[in-house]
Amino acid sequence: MADLNAIAESLMKGQAPKVKELVQAAVDEGISPQQILTEGLIAGMNVLGKKFKANEVYIPEVLIAARAMHAGMGILKPLLAKSGAKAAKVFMIGTVKGDLHDIGKNLVAMMMEGAGFDVADIGIDVTSEKFVEMVREKKPEVLGMSALLTTTMPAMKSAVEAIKAAGLKDSVKIVIGGAPITQSFADEIGADGYAPDAASAVDVSKKLLGMQ
Ligand code: B1M
């Protein structure tokens, strides 16, 4: 009998080949891809997210676990699509205009993917116009924006204003973060949420969507 707990454990240890092998074994045994995803991959990433938040593990461990997650997802994705599983909520993220820092953004994207969101990463140096265009195209439930420079914080404000002006604000929750960002800045520019780290971005997004 396939052990979904072993998938979670191997994911936390970053053992990509082992995760792939265990996921395949679970699929071969007839366990539903949805259950393998939730009770194996996402369960492991959840525990890791909590440890990351508590400074019990660090960035390299998260990056290696994310690679293991991708190895497992490679097997599950086509099966999930075929089984017509309920579409995951879309989380779109970009680093704002003028800002090229992407390490934190990538971590947030990985954590969100680990939590079961369908992630659309639109990159760095994203203009307000591009945010608007991509919100129209991808229709995310949550839009994340990242900024690492005090000089690019105003670009977040402009992007939020552009989304409001385009009449899209009611359709998407906006969560912001990055080293210079604070809750009071989020309140000031009309963002829906602020997350100090990647694991919190998952908590804040879920809360905003009424998922927890
Ligand atoms: Co730059 N840089 N950098 N840099 N850089 C900082 C940010 C800086 C604090 C260094 C310093 O002076 N002490 C400083 C900013 C000062 C300020 O504005 N107050 C700075 C500067 C000045 C610059 C340049 C202007 C330097 C120059 O050219 N004169 C230049 C600007 C380029 C540009 O963007 N236009 C620049 C360039 C670069 C590199 C290209 C060399 C490189 C980036 C490489 C890359 O990202 N691919 C770089 C780096 C690596 C850094 C430091 C050293 C590390 C940043 C990082 O990746 N941290 C940084 C100093 C530091 O932080 N110690 C610095 C690790 C990462 C995991 O943390 O991104 O904070 P972070 O993400 C966290 C949280 O903030 C949060 O989650 C993550 C953790 O869980 N988070 C979110 C992030 N986004 C989120 C979004 C969310 C929620 C949470 O919701 C959607």
Side-chain angles (χ1 to χ4, degrees):
M1 171 75 184
D3 181 1
L4 299 182
N5 205 27
I7 296 179
E9 292 288 337
S10 305
L11 180 139
M12 283 188 275
K13 289 183 195 147
Q15 299 167 328
K18 183 87 184 158
V19 167
K20 203 170 163 187
E21 183 190 309
L22 290 170
V23 167
Q24 188 60 58
V27 169
D28 293 344
E29 265 188 37
I31 300 177
S32 80
Q34 189 67 52
Q35 192 181 352
I36 301 169
L37 175 66
T38 317
E39 294 174 29
L41 299 178
I42 294 179
M45 211 59 178
N46 270 343
V47 175
L48 200 78
K50 287 196 183 107
K51 288 188 172 184
F52 179 61
K53 217 166 153 179
N55 291 323
E56 287 169 26
V57 298
Y58 298 98
I59 294 168
E61 284 100 320
V62 177
L63 295 178
I64 295 167
R67 203 171 55 194
M69 173 105 192
H70 279 157
M73 281 306 287
I75 297 171
L76 295 184
K77 254 190 185 157
L79 301 174
L80 285 166
K82 246 197 279 172
S83 71
K86 196 158 78 46
K89 306 269 186 213
V90 177
F91 175 75
M92 193 169 95
I93 186 163
T95 301
V96 297
K97 183 172 184 295
D99 204 319
L100 309 178
H101 296 86
D102 69 356
I103 300 169
K105 167 186 73 63
N106 295 345
L107 267 181
V108 173
M110 285 167 194
M111 280 290 176
M112 294 298 289
E113 194 170 48
F117 283 79
D118 186 358
V119 173
D121 184 343
I122 57 169
I124 53 173
D125 196 16
V126 180
T127 61
S128 299
E129 296 76 21
K130 183 84 180 169
F131 273 118
V132 168
E133 183 194 327
M134 294 310 287
V135 166
R136 278 211 181 98
E137 187 183 318
K138 302 268 180 197
K139 300 185 176 36
E141 273 83 9
V142 182
L143 167 62
M145 292 181 197
S146 180
L148 262 286
L149 301 170
T150 44
T151 50
T152 56
M153 289 168 68
M156 260 179 185
K157 184 170 191 273
S158 306
V160 173
E161 279 166 3
I163 286 163
K164 278 187 186 155
L168 296 167
K169 184 63 204 72
D170 288 345
S171 69
V172 64
K173 301 288 183 198
I174 300 177
V175 179
I176 63 171
I181 308 301
T182 59
Q183 180 65 57
S184 66
F185 180 70
D187 296 340
E188 187 189 315
I189 68 168
D192 299 290
Y194 156 71
D197 56 62
S200 307
V202 172
D203 297 339
V204 171
S205 301
K206 283 188 169 174
K207 212 174 202 169
L208 287 170
L209 298 179
M211 293 164 74
Q212 67 176 23

